[in-house]
Amino acid sequence: MRSLDRLFENSTRALARRSSRRSLLAGLGQLLTGAALLPLLPVDRGSRARADEHKSGPESCDYWKYCAIDGFLCSCCGGTSTSCPPGTQPSPITWIGTCHNPADRRDYIVSYNDCCGKTSCGNCECNRNEREKPMYRPSRNNDLNWCMANADSNYHCSVSVILGVAEK
């Protein structure tokens, strides 16, 4: 242990002979200034923009036409945002919503169809209730099992189909 103590003592004394307190403070100031300027260096943020673009696509709950959806997105379960995956059937009864498309600043009437016949997909769960109406308006409520009209009432996922432009 004494040799380790002696090594640190000798190296500390050698450093003290070569430098002063002012040079130590000057070096520390340069280090802090450099660290403060580091965030100002140019950074490629294009990958973040591409990730945000993908994040708001059909596999994301934030996608504009999912404003009233409740369930698993079929686009994550082997189908698309408008078609059921193989082995499932769309329910003949649906609920509807009116969603605002920020790209063209128009409102669209969207029909939400449950795809039935398999057990729940379990991917990309999405529950958005914008403009949802109370249960006395079931066609505008997303809390029902819309697969009840099918022979196989197992819910798998949900799709969204644009019916038309909403007139004001």
Side-chain angles (χ1 to χ4, degrees):
M1 201 60 169
R2 290 186 137 201
S3 60
L4 190 59
D5 287 340
R6 204 172 292 130
L7 175 69
F8 277 107
E9 181 182 357
N10 289 339
S11 60
T12 306
R13 288 183 186 273
L15 180 63
R17 278 191 296 269
R18 287 189 308 246
S19 62
S20 68
R21 279 183 233 150
R22 286 185 183 179
S23 65
L24 177 69
L25 288 175
L28 186 60
Q30 288 175 342
L31 180 69
L32 290 175
T33 302
L37 294 176
L38 191 63
L40 300 177
L41 292 175
V43 176
D44 177 22
R45 290 183 173 86
S47 61
R48 183 190 303 169
R50 287 186 292 276
D52 288 346
E53 197 175 276
H54 182 266
K55 190 169 108 175
S56 64
E59 286 92 26
S60 169
C61 190
D62 295 332
Y63 193 49
W64 70 269
K65 70 177 191 171
Y66 295 150
C67 72
I69 200 162
D70 182 6
F72 302 111
L73 303 179
C74 285
S75 55
C76 296
C77 301
T80 66
S81 69
T82 58
S83 64
C84 291
T88 63
Q89 296 293 322
S91 175
I93 55 175
T94 66
W95 73 97
I96 59 171
T98 305
C99 300
H100 181 75
N101 183 350
D104 64 6
R105 298 187 184 126
R106 297 170 79 182
D107 291 334
Y108 290 87
I109 300 169
V110 181
S111 173
Y112 297 99
N113 301 65
D114 284 346
C115 296
C116 315
K118 290 182 176 179
T119 58
S120 290
C121 166
N123 294 328
C124 299
E125 184 176 7
C126 188
N127 184 11
R128 293 179 59 190
N129 299 311
E130 296 169 28
R131 301 180 189 148
E132 181 181 33
K133 297 297 180 196
M135 282 301 281
Y136 61 83
R137 298 281 306 269
S139 65
R140 292 196 175 179
N141 191 284
N142 62 13
D143 293 328
L144 297 173
N145 179 5
W146 295 97
C147 289
M148 62 190 161
N150 287 35
D152 186 346
S153 62
N154 283 327
Y155 166 77
H156 185 65
C157 60
S158 299
V159 296
S160 60
V161 179
I162 297 174
L163 298 178
V165 178
E167 298 294 324
K168 293 189 180 197

